[in-house]
PDB file of all heavy atoms in Angstrom:
ATOM      1  N   LEU A   6      -0.788   4.982   3.806  1.00 95.00           N
ATOM      2  CA  LEU A   6      -0.596   4.267   5.083  1.00 95.00           C
ATOM      3  C   LEU A   6      -0.451   5.215   6.217  1.00 95.00           C
ATOM      4  O   LEU A   6      -0.946   4.952   7.322  1.00 95.00           O
ATOM      5  CB  LEU A   6       0.665   3.401   4.896  1.00 95.00           C
ATOM      6  CG  LEU A   6       0.920   2.374   5.998  1.00 95.00           C
ATOM      7  CD1 LEU A   6      -0.167   1.301   6.012  1.00 95.00           C
ATOM      8  CD2 LEU A   6       2.277   1.711   5.718  1.00 95.00           C
ATOM      9  N   LYS A   7       0.214   6.327   6.105  1.00 96.00           N
ATOM     10  CA  LYS A   7       0.509   7.296   7.187  1.00 96.00           C
ATOM     11  C   LYS A   7      -0.562   8.340   7.374  1.00 96.00           C
ATOM     12  O   LYS A   7      -0.472   9.127   8.310  1.00 96.00           O
ATOM     13  CB  LYS A   7       1.866   7.968   6.974  1.00 96.00           C
ATOM     14  CG  LYS A   7       3.013   7.002   7.042  1.00 96.00           C
ATOM     15  CD  LYS A   7       4.319   7.743   6.832  1.00 96.00           C
ATOM     16  CE  LYS A   7       5.521   6.842   6.939  1.00 96.00           C
ATOM     17  NZ  LYS A   7       6.854   7.623   6.801  1.00 96.00           N
ATOM     18  N   PHE A   8      -1.599   8.414   6.470  1.00 97.00           N
ATOM     19  CA  PHE A   8      -2.507   9.447   6.542  1.00 97.00           C
ATOM     20  C   PHE A   8      -3.388   9.383   7.872  1.00 97.00           C
ATOM     21  O   PHE A   8      -3.836   8.330   8.295  1.00 97.00           O
ATOM     22  CB  PHE A   8      -3.496   9.298   5.316  1.00 97.00           C
ATOM     23  CG  PHE A   8      -4.595  10.385   5.359  1.00 97.00           C
ATOM     24  CD1 PHE A   8      -4.327  11.652   4.955  1.00 97.00           C
ATOM     25  CD2 PHE A   8      -5.867  10.041   5.820  1.00 97.00           C
ATOM     26  CE1 PHE A   8      -5.352  12.645   4.997  1.00 97.00           C
ATOM     27  CE2 PHE A   8      -6.855  11.015   5.882  1.00 97.00           C
ATOM     28  CZ  PHE A   8      -6.579  12.227   5.486  1.00 97.00           C
ATOM     29  N   GLU A   9      -3.614  10.564   8.377  1.00 97.00           N
ATOM     30  CA  GLU A   9      -4.474  10.768   9.536  1.00 97.00           C
ATOM     31  C   GLU A   9      -5.441  11.971   9.314  1.00 97.00           C
ATOM     32  O   GLU A   9      -5.045  12.892   8.581  1.00 97.00           O
ATOM     33  CB  GLU A   9      -3.633  11.072  10.869  1.00 97.00           C
ATOM     34  CG  GLU A   9      -2.744   9.953  11.238  1.00 97.00           C
ATOM     35  CD  GLU A   9      -3.461   8.700  11.745  1.00 97.00           C
ATOM     36  OE1 GLU A   9      -4.618   8.829  12.194  1.00 97.00           O
ATOM     37  OE2 GLU A   9      -2.842   7.647  11.835  1.00 97.00           O
ATOM     38  N   VAL A  10      -6.583  11.908   9.915  1.00 97.00           N
ATOM     39  CA  VAL A  10      -7.557  12.917   9.713  1.00 97.00           C
ATOM     40  C   VAL A  10      -7.385  14.072  10.753  1.00 97.00           C
ATOM     41  O   VAL A  10      -7.264  13.724  11.901  1.00 97.00           O
ATOM     42  CB  VAL A  10      -9.053  12.451   9.837  1.00 97.00           C
ATOM     43  CG1 VAL A  10      -9.982  13.537   9.690  1.00 97.00           C
ATOM     44  CG2 VAL A  10      -9.282  11.296   8.785  1.00 97.00           C
ATOM     45  N   GLN A  11      -7.274  15.275  10.298  1.00 94.00           N
ATOM     46  CA  GLN A  11      -7.139  16.461  11.269  1.00 94.00           C
ATOM     47  C   GLN A  11      -8.067  17.486  10.803  1.00 94.00           C
ATOM     48  O   GLN A  11      -8.555  17.615   9.698  1.00 94.00           O
ATOM     49  CB  GLN A  11      -5.725  16.942  11.159  1.00 94.00           C
ATOM     50  CG  GLN A  11      -5.232  17.518   9.889  1.00 94.00           C
ATOM     51  CD  GLN A  11      -3.985  18.283  10.063  1.00 94.00           C
ATOM     52  OE1 GLN A  11      -3.917  19.204  10.863  1.00 94.00           O
ATOM     53  NE2 GLN A  11      -3.011  17.978   9.273  1.00 94.00           N
ATOM     54  N   SER A  12      -8.400  18.335  11.818  1.00 93.00           N
ATOM     55  CA  SER A  12      -9.273  19.471  11.587  1.00 93.00           C
ATOM     56  C   SER A  12      -8.720  20.644  12.237  1.00 93.00           C
ATOM     57  O   SER A  12      -8.627  20.776  13.541  1.00 93.00           O
ATOM     58  CB  SER A  12     -10.780  19.261  12.072  1.00 93.00           C
ATOM     59  OG  SER A  12     -11.499  20.419  11.929  1.00 93.00           O
ATOM     60  N   ASN A  13      -8.163  21.615  11.492  1.00 90.00           N
ATOM     61  CA  ASN A  13      -7.380  22.795  12.013  1.00 90.00           C
ATOM     62  C   ASN A  13      -6.288  22.345  12.979  1.00 90.00           C
ATOM     63  O   ASN A  13      -6.109  22.927  14.094  1.00 90.00           O
ATOM     64  CB  ASN A  13      -8.320  23.736  12.723  1.00 90.00           C
ATOM     65  CG  ASN A  13      -9.309  24.362  11.749  1.00 90.00           C
ATOM     66  OD1 ASN A  13      -8.891  24.695  10.606  1.00 90.00           O
ATOM     67  ND2 ASN A  13     -10.523  24.564  12.256  1.00 90.00           N
ATOM     68  N   GLY A  14      -5.565  21.311  12.648  1.00 90.00           N
ATOM     69  CA  GLY A  14      -4.463  20.792  13.432  1.00 90.00           C
ATOM     70  C   GLY A  14      -4.838  19.903  14.540  1.00 90.00           C
ATOM     71  O   GLY A  14      -3.956  19.391  15.290  1.00 90.00           O
ATOM     72  N   ASP A  15      -6.130  19.638  14.710  1.00 93.00           N
ATOM     73  CA  ASP A  15      -6.657  18.815  15.827  1.00 93.00           C
ATOM     74  C   ASP A  15      -6.840  17.344  15.268  1.00 93.00           C
ATOM     75  O   ASP A  15      -7.624  17.146  14.406  1.00 93.00           O
ATOM     76  CB  ASP A  15      -7.954  19.272  16.356  1.00 93.00           C
ATOM     77  CG  ASP A  15      -8.509  18.541  17.505  1.00 93.00           C
ATOM     78  OD1 ASP A  15      -7.980  17.425  17.841  1.00 93.00           O
ATOM     79  OD2 ASP A  15      -9.408  18.990  18.176  1.00 93.00           O
ATOM     80  N   PHE A  16      -6.038  16.408  15.754  1.00 94.00           N
ATOM     81  CA  PHE A  16      -6.099  15.066  15.376  1.00 94.00           C
ATOM     82  C   PHE A  16      -7.092  14.182  16.177  1.00 94.00           C
ATOM     83  O   PHE A  16      -7.338  13.012  15.864  1.00 94.00           O
ATOM     84  CB  PHE A  16      -4.738  14.382  15.316  1.00 94.00           C
ATOM     85  CG  PHE A  16      -3.750  14.791  14.360  1.00 94.00           C
ATOM     86  CD1 PHE A  16      -3.029  15.981  14.516  1.00 94.00           C
ATOM     87  CD2 PHE A  16      -3.740  14.221  13.134  1.00 94.00           C
ATOM     88  CE1 PHE A  16      -2.112  16.426  13.561  1.00 94.00           C
ATOM     89  CE2 PHE A  16      -2.889  14.715  12.080  1.00 94.00           C
ATOM     90  CZ  PHE A  16      -2.016  15.766  12.335  1.00 94.00           C
ATOM     91  N   GLU A  17      -7.588  14.773  17.281  1.00 96.00           N
ATOM     92  CA  GLU A  17      -8.358  13.967  18.213  1.00 96.00           C
ATOM     93  C   GLU A  17      -9.928  14.015  17.935  1.00 96.00           C
ATOM     94  O   GLU A  17     -10.604  13.131  18.226  1.00 96.00           O
ATOM     95  CB  GLU A  17      -8.191  14.428  19.621  1.00 96.00           C
ATOM     96  CG  GLU A  17      -6.744  14.214  20.143  1.00 96.00           C
ATOM     97  CD  GLU A  17      -6.320  12.845  20.128  1.00 96.00           C
ATOM     98  OE1 GLU A  17      -7.162  11.929  20.442  1.00 96.00           O
ATOM     99  OE2 GLU A  17      -5.219  12.537  19.661  1.00 96.00           O
ATOM    100  N   ILE A  18     -10.355  15.135  17.315  1.00 97.00           N
ATOM    101  CA  ILE A  18     -11.823  15.309  17.078  1.00 97.00           C
ATOM    102  C   ILE A  18     -12.391  14.180  16.183  1.00 97.00           C
ATOM    103  O   ILE A  18     -13.495  13.666  16.494  1.00 97.00           O
ATOM    104  CB  ILE A  18     -12.120  16.644  16.435  1.00 97.00           C
ATOM    105  CG1 ILE A  18     -13.633  16.877  16.337  1.00 97.00           C
ATOM    106  CG2 ILE A  18     -11.471  16.803  15.036  1.00 97.00           C
ATOM    107  CD1 ILE A  18     -14.037  18.214  15.957  1.00 97.00           C
ATOM    108  N   PHE A  19     -11.633  13.727  15.221  1.00 98.00           N
ATOM    109  CA  PHE A  19     -12.086  12.601  14.406  1.00 98.00           C
ATOM    110  C   PHE A  19     -12.297  11.277  15.158  1.00 98.00           C
ATOM    111  O   PHE A  19     -13.309  10.657  15.104  1.00 98.00           O
ATOM    112  CB  PHE A  19     -11.131  12.340  13.200  1.00 98.00           C
ATOM    113  CG  PHE A  19     -11.513  11.229  12.329  1.00 98.00           C
ATOM    114  CD1 PHE A  19     -12.480  11.337  11.460  1.00 98.00           C
ATOM    115  CD2 PHE A  19     -10.820   9.992  12.464  1.00 98.00           C
ATOM    116  CE1 PHE A  19     -12.915  10.253  10.602  1.00 98.00           C
ATOM    117  CE2 PHE A  19     -11.156   8.929  11.666  1.00 98.00           C
ATOM    118  CZ  PHE A  19     -12.162   9.026  10.770  1.00 98.00           C
ATOM    119  N   TRP A  20     -11.275  10.996  16.037  1.00 97.00           N
ATOM    120  CA  TRP A  20     -11.393   9.817  16.863  1.00 97.00           C
ATOM    121  C   TRP A  20     -12.502   9.893  17.843  1.00 97.00           C
ATOM    122  O   TRP A  20     -13.249   8.932  18.087  1.00 97.00           O
ATOM    123  CB  TRP A  20     -10.066   9.525  17.553  1.00 97.00           C
ATOM    124  CG  TRP A  20      -8.908   9.305  16.621  1.00 97.00           C
ATOM    125  CD1 TRP A  20      -7.762  10.028  16.600  1.00 97.00           C
ATOM    126  CD2 TRP A  20      -8.843   8.242  15.649  1.00 97.00           C
ATOM    127  NE1 TRP A  20      -6.952   9.515  15.560  1.00 97.00           N
ATOM    128  CE2 TRP A  20      -7.561   8.424  14.973  1.00 97.00           C
ATOM    129  CE3 TRP A  20      -9.609   7.230  15.318  1.00 97.00           C
ATOM    130  CZ2 TRP A  20      -7.104   7.587  14.007  1.00 97.00           C
ATOM    131  CZ3 TRP A  20      -9.214   6.391  14.206  1.00 97.00           C
ATOM    132  CH2 TRP A  20      -7.998   6.604  13.676  1.00 97.00           C
ATOM    133  N   ASN A  21     -12.699  11.095  18.439  1.00 97.00           N
ATOM    134  CA  ASN A  21     -13.765  11.331  19.392  1.00 97.00           C
ATOM    135  C   ASN A  21     -15.139  11.084  18.767  1.00 97.00           C
ATOM    136  O   ASN A  21     -16.001  10.454  19.386  1.00 97.00           O
ATOM    137  CB  ASN A  21     -13.706  12.742  19.998  1.00 97.00           C
ATOM    138  CG  ASN A  21     -12.520  12.928  20.838  1.00 97.00           C
ATOM    139  OD1 ASN A  21     -11.954  11.939  21.399  1.00 97.00           O
ATOM    140  ND2 ASN A  21     -12.076  14.169  21.091  1.00 97.00           N
TER     141      ASN A  21
END
Side-chain angles (χ1 to χ4, degrees):
L6 191 63
K7 293 181 177 180
F8 178 80
E9 297 290 340
V10 180
Q11 64 166 308
S12 178
N13 294 324
D15 185 348
F16 288 88
E17 297 301 318
I18 186 172
F19 176 76
W20 298 120
N21 290 338

